[in-house]
Every structure is written in structure tokens, then in C-alpha cells.
């Protein structure tokens, strides 16, 4: 019998033993990968999941591998893995939504929309699918479609803060200030400390000429998060526009004390110093901004040159 096995291949018993060993190895690799991921050993986790998938490309392990790739910022690998998972199971809504999110990172809005529409066709009450479809439409510059999808998301989940916030952004881009502010109020009712909502609210108020309300929103953001660069930049620009240069300078100095590695803060403080006639201080700030962001040297240098060429005028619009 041993001679026949050697001549004609493995026996059924040998094949069964190999299957058992492969299954055992698969389980070891999969759960070692999960433990490694939980311990923060991401590279080892990925290696385990890759070897596990080579033995058995079951859906759960493919999903674990895709998630690990995303954690490691290996977006292209995550996309390939999710495409593979969706091809195996076109009804896997979570895989479709994960694929849509990866497409968003890749700025593939068509692919993102396709994944969302497939998810919606399977479950037309899935709020996340509608929200991601709204993000895809926004990425494709289709504001009306974005509003439609986001409204459907909110119909399924009235507490979906991200959907309110994105719809507010789209409405503001369409200069529908009243409706945008209404959505922002809904966001802030659900989460009074939502910084992005407060920043957008400030921007809208400022552009509507309601500068006191706008500045109040910015002060609220800074109170919630003293490290929010956007709030300092917008507040400084507002104060500069209102010719409150001493206050603008104080705003930027406060920001730089807290966030000394942000090039744009030095750039904007330099703008104010130049307006105040402090060319030496402005030059120092320009040099510091270039030191922190050498890749933007031409932009920063040109920014200061344009000040002098344009009679030192500024604007936040």
C-alpha cells in the first residue's frame, strides 16, 4: 500500500491530515493576528492575517486584514482586500460600507457611490449608506444629490450629527445660510462641543456681517480646545479685517505659545506685524514659517510680497 501511495499520490488519510493541519494553522494565525493587533503590533498582525488568508480566504479574516491595512495607512492594499471580499459576498453590507470609506480616502467618488448604492439596494433603511452616498455626491460636486442622500440618512436617524454637519456644509456652499444655520443648531443640540459645527457657524455669521456672533463662536471653540488652529486663524483674520491689529497680534501670540510648530500661525502673525509697520518682526515670522514648512517657501514669500504690493490690504472673504 505504501508503494501504491508513493506511485499514485497521497492517500485519503494523508489528505485529511493535511486539511486538519491547515485548519489548525489557520486558526493559530488568525487569533495570533487578533492578539497582535490588540497589543498594537500591527506589522505582525498583518503578516498573520495575510498567511491565514492564504490558507482560507474566509470573510471575517479578509475583513480583519482590510482593517489592519487601514490602520497601517496601506489604503491601496485595503481597497484590494475589500474588493476581494465584496466579490465573494455581494450582500455583505459592512464590507460595502468599508469599501465606500476607502474609496473616499482615495478620492474615488464614483467607486464610493457605486458601493453605497449596492448597500442601499440591499438595505434601504441603512442611514450610514445614505450618509456615505451623500459624501460621494459632495465629492462629485453634486450638491443637490448630496442633500437628497443626507436628508434620507436623517430620515432613518434623526440624531445623525455627521449628516447634519455635512448637509450644513453643502447648504452653505450653495449659500443657503438660513438652512445651513438650522442644521448647525441641530448638531449643537446633539453635541454642544462640536468644534467643526461652531467653526462653520462662525464662518457663516462673519460672512453675513454678524461679526460679534461669529467671534463668540470662535471664542467658544478656543475655550473648548485651546489647540484648535483653525479657530485662531479665523479669529485673527476677523480682527485684522476690523483693523483691531493689537488684538489680532495678541490672538496669534497666544496661539503660537500653545502651538509653536504651526507655520501658518507665524505667517499670519507676520501679516499683522507688517500691517503694524514692524517689518523686522514680519521678516522673522516669514523666516520661521519657511523653516517649519520649507515646501511652502514660494507661497509664504509671495504672500508677504503681495502685502506690500497691495498697500497692505487684507481680507477674510
Amino acid at each position: 500500500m505504501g508503494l501504491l501511495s508513493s506511485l499514485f499520490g497521497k492517500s485519503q488519510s494523508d489528505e485529511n491530515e493535511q486539511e486538519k493541519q491547515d485548519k489548525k494553522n489557520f486558526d493559530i494565525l488568525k487569533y495570533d493576528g487578533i492578539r497582535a493587533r490588540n497589543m498594537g503590533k500591527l506589522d505582525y498582525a498583518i503578516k498573520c492575517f495575510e498567511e491565514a488568508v492564504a490558507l482560507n480566504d474566509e470573510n471575517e479574516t479578509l475583513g480583519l486584514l482590510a482593517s489592519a491595512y487601514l490602520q497601517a495607512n496601506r489604503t491601496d492594499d485595503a481597497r484590494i482586500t475589500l474588493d476581494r471580499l465584496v466579490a465573494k459576498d455581494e450582500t455583505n453590507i459592512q464590507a460595502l460600507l468599508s469599501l465606500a470609506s476607502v474609496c473616499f480616502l482615495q478620492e474615488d467618488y464614483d467607486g464610493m457611490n457605486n458601493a453605497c448604492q449596492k448597500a442601499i439596494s440591499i438595505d434601504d433603511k441603512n442611514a450610514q449608506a445614505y450618509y456615505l452616498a451623500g459624501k460621494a455626491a459632495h465629492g462629485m460636486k453634486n450638491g443637490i444629490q448630496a442633500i437628497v442622500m443626507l436628508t434620507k440618512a436623517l430620515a432613518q436617524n434623526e440624531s445623525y450629527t455627521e449628516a447634519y454637519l455635512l448637509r450644513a456644509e453643502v447648504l452653505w456652499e450653495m449659500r443657503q445660510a438660513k438652512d445651513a444655520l438650522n442644521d448647525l443648531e441641530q448638531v449643537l443640540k446633539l453635541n454642544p462641543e462640536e468644534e467643526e459645527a461652531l467653526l462653520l457657524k462662525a464662518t457663516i455669521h462673519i460672512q453675513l456681517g454678524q461679526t460679534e456672533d461669529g467671534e463668540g463662536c470662535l471664542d467658544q471653540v478656543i475655550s473648548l480646545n485651546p489647540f484648535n488652529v483653525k479657530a485662531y486663524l479665523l479669529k485673527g483674520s476677523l480682527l485684522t479685517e476690523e483693523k483691531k491689529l493689537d488684538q489680532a497680534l495678541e490672538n496669534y501670540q497666544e496661539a503660537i505659545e500653545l502651538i509653536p510648530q504651526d507655520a501658518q500661525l507665524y505667517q499670519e502673525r507676520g501679516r499683522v506685524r507688517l500691517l503694524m509697520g514692524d517689518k523686522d518682526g514680519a521678516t522673522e515670522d516669514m523666516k520661521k514659517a519657511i523653516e517649519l514648512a520649507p515646501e511652502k517657501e514660494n507661497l509664504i514669500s509671495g504672500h508677504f510680497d503681495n502685502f506690500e504690493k497691495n498697500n497692505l490690504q487684507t481680507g477674510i472673504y
Side-chain angles (χ1 to χ4, degrees):
M1 189 70 179
L3 177 60
L4 291 175
S5 295
S6 65
L7 289 173
F8 297 105
K10 294 182 178 179
S11 68
Q12 187 66 42
S13 175
D14 289 339
E15 290 178 358
N16 289 340
E17 286 300 318
Q18 185 62 51
E19 287 179 8
K20 289 179 183 179
Q21 187 61 49
D22 286 347
K23 185 179 184 306
K24 180 179 179 181
N25 290 341
F26 169 80
D27 289 338
I28 291 171
L29 288 164
K30 177 179 178 179
Y31 293 106
D32 274 358
I34 292 172
R35 282 192 290 270
R37 180 201 61 186
N38 293 341
M39 294 170 62
K41 298 179 179 179
L42 202 53
D43 289 341
Y44 182 68
I46 288 172
K47 184 177 180 181
C48 288
F49 292 141
E50 287 175 337
E51 293 188 15
V53 164
L55 292 170
N56 180 2
D57 63 343
E58 58 134 31
N59 291 357
E60 184 182 9
T61 310
L62 282 170
L64 289 167
L65 177 58
S67 178
Y69 280 144
L70 281 175
Q71 285 182 266
N73 295 317
R74 292 172 59 177
T75 309
D76 291 342
D77 289 327
R79 172 72 181 269
I80 291 168
T81 305
L82 287 167
D83 280 334
R84 182 178 172 185
L85 178 53
V86 169
K88 286 181 79 263
D89 182 5
E90 295 182 352
T91 65
N92 189 327
I93 291 181
Q94 189 52 55
L96 286 165
L97 297 180
S98 295
L99 176 59
S101 297
V102 170
C103 288
F104 177 75
L105 294 174
Q106 295 178 320
E107 299 184 4
D108 177 8
Y109 303 118
D110 286 328
M112 181 182 187
N113 183 60
N114 289 338
C116 291
Q117 296 306 325
K118 287 179 182 178
I120 290 168
S121 70
I122 298 166
D123 179 5
D124 64 359
K125 298 189 183 303
N126 191 300
Q128 187 183 6
Y130 286 117
Y131 168 69
L132 291 172
K135 288 183 76 171
H138 185 227
M140 292 186 286
K141 312 297 182 187
N142 189 339
I144 298 298
Q145 179 68 4
I147 289 172
V148 169
M149 290 294 104
L150 294 167
T151 301
K152 288 184 177 183
L154 290 165
Q156 301 303 324
N157 180 359
E158 295 180 353
S159 300
Y160 207 149
T161 55
E162 293 91 343
Y164 279 117
L165 181 55
L166 181 55
R167 191 171 70 173
E169 292 176 12
V170 176
L171 286 165
W172 174 236
E173 287 172 4
M174 300 170 70
R175 289 303 182 261
Q176 300 296 315
K178 182 178 178 181
D179 290 336
L181 287 171
N182 285 340
D183 274 356
L184 292 173
E185 288 305 320
Q186 290 296 323
V187 174
L188 293 170
K189 281 182 183 178
L190 293 164
N191 181 6
E193 298 185 355
E194 174 52 63
E195 294 174 29
E196 290 301 318
L198 288 166
L199 285 170
L200 181 55
K201 185 178 178 182
T203 299
I204 294 172
H205 280 310
I206 290 168
Q207 297 228 17
L208 293 176
Q210 300 162 355
T211 55
E212 187 174 340
D213 290 334
E215 188 172 348
C217 291
L218 295 173
D219 286 338
Q220 190 175 347
V221 174
I222 292 169
S223 175
L224 289 168
N225 178 10
F227 299 94
N228 191 306
V229 174
K230 290 182 182 177
Y232 286 111
L233 291 171
L234 189 52
K235 182 177 179 180
S237 187
L238 172 61
L239 293 169
T240 302
E241 184 72 15
E242 294 181 323
K243 310 302 181 187
K244 298 177 180 177
L245 300 182
D246 288 337
Q247 293 181 45
L249 183 62
E250 182 180 350
N251 168 74
Y252 288 125
Q253 289 182 166
E254 177 185 339
I256 287 170
E257 287 178 7
L258 292 167
I259 318 161
Q261 298 304 311
D262 190 280
Q264 197 171 358
L265 290 172
Y266 288 96
Q267 180 179 334
E268 296 305 316
R269 186 175 69 176
R271 296 175 66 210
V272 174
R273 284 178 161 175
L274 192 59
L275 286 167
M276 297 175 75
D278 181 5
K279 290 189 177 182
D280 290 340
T283 300
E284 289 179 10
D285 278 339
M286 180 184 70
K287 290 179 179 178
K288 184 64 176 178
I290 292 172
E291 176 188 326
L292 292 171
E295 72 281 2
K296 296 181 180 179
E297 179 176 353
N298 291 336
L299 177 64
I300 294 169
S301 300
H303 179 84
F304 279 87
D305 290 340
N306 287 335
F307 267 133
E308 294 182 307
K309 291 176 183 177
N310 292 309
N311 298 319
L312 304 184
Q313 294 178 351
T314 63
I316 60 174
Y317 305 109

